[in-house]
Amino acid sequence: MTTETSAPRVALATCSVLPDLDGDDAPLVRALGTRGVDAAPAVWDDPDVDWDAFDAVVVRSTWDYSARRDEFVAWAARVPRILNTERVLRWNTDKGYLRGLEEAGVPVIPTLWLDPARNLSSRAIHTRLPAQGDFVIKPVVSAGAKDTGRYQSGEAHSRGLAIQHAKNLLVSGREVMVQPYVTSVDTAGETGLVFVDGELSHAVRKNALLTGPHRPTRGLYQQEEMSPFTATDEQVAVAQNALAVAADAVADGDASSFLYARVDLVNGNDGGPVVIELELTEPSLFMALAPGALDRFADAIAARVRR
């Protein structure tokens, strides 16, 4: 740990596929260095890493965790001073948190939850799928749109693929989410609002990812097309409400305790913003797309490690 004469040490947790960090996060090492903080990437499941040697661990590109969520959360519980905290990561790595947001009045996409413990037959799955419009199937624990597909309710072949997709996930023991596909994504995309220390840093826009049935994804995630964006007051308000609910659940009501957060929104059927995901675990922050974003994040980390 830090002594009076040594620089604070920070581990930027990543995965073995990206041992030197994702390209968006790599500049953090230099930015923290200019602030007198010794930062280095460290692979979260590398048994040779001495986590006690760091003053803080900032979770970044740990994007292979979804297949081993329990192992990931157990690791977070062992690591001293992890940001965001293990309590936050445990809550946020299961998309069941959307239930809590909805119960608190935050607009979210309507979701049907399929439990693997019920051993649903293909016919039972069929009767639960939407009768109209496109819909999306995804596992409750997932990252980067992996194991996610878009289907057409009125097209027999597409519906058959959807049933098989859901069945495969359930048989593997994974809870499944079924959501209507929000058509505004095709034209307006998704909006991601990035927060640092509970304050809005910047916003980005993401083009539609889901164009058809689930197919195996090469790599850790599907490639995204991102661009800078200016969020509306209504979008900011919805995102702040979502963070407030999360803070009540896992941060003693203090949203500023979240070092980082990204709230992903789409336009609902009424045109208003709807939460599609609240990312408190390992979201890309797209710092290169917003002037000053890297400095804001580095300042926040440096301030925390010196507390």
Side-chain angles (χ1 to χ4, degrees), residues 23 38 102 118 128 130 137 139 148 218-219 241 274 278 286 305:
D38 180 13
E102 184 175 28
R118 298 192 63 183
R128 286 163 170 77
I137 288 177
T148 300
R218 291 184 178 182
N241 287 341
V274 175
L278 169 57
F286 306 110
V305 82

Side-chain angles (χ1 to χ4, degrees), residues 170-302:
L170 291 168
V171 168
S172 68
R174 304 173 75 180
E175 188 176 2
V176 172
M177 305 166 64
V178 182
Q179 298 175 322
Y181 182 78
V182 180
T183 57
S184 66
V185 173
D186 293 332
T187 54
E190 294 180 22
T191 299
L193 281 70
V194 176
F195 292 78
V196 175
D197 284 345
E199 297 293 328
L200 180 65
S201 170
H202 58 283
V204 295
R205 172 156 284 180
K206 176 168 59 176
N207 289 348
L209 279 178
L210 298 178
T211 57
H214 166 249
R215 295 181 179 86
T217 302
R218 291 184 178 182
L220 296 171
Y221 56 90
Q222 294 192 40
Q223 293 295 326
E224 302 169 321
E225 294 183 25
M226 310 301 303
S227 58
F229 184 73
T230 301
T232 67
D233 290 344
E234 188 178 11
Q235 288 174 323
V236 173
V238 169
Q240 288 174 331
N241 287 341
L243 284 180
V245 174
D248 285 342
V250 291
D252 300 321
D254 182 10
S256 69
S257 69
F258 301 135
L259 171 62
Y260 53 83
R262 196 185 80 209
V263 185
D264 292 342
L265 306 173
V266 295
N267 295 333
N269 292 333
D270 63 356
V274 175
V275 174
I276 188 168
E277 284 192 357
L278 169 57
E279 298 271 12
L280 296 169
T281 302
E282 30 61 74
S284 294
L285 301 179
F286 306 110
M287 293 176 286
L289 294 179
L294 177 64
D295 289 328
R296 285 189 288 274
F297 194 37
D299 285 343
I301 295 171

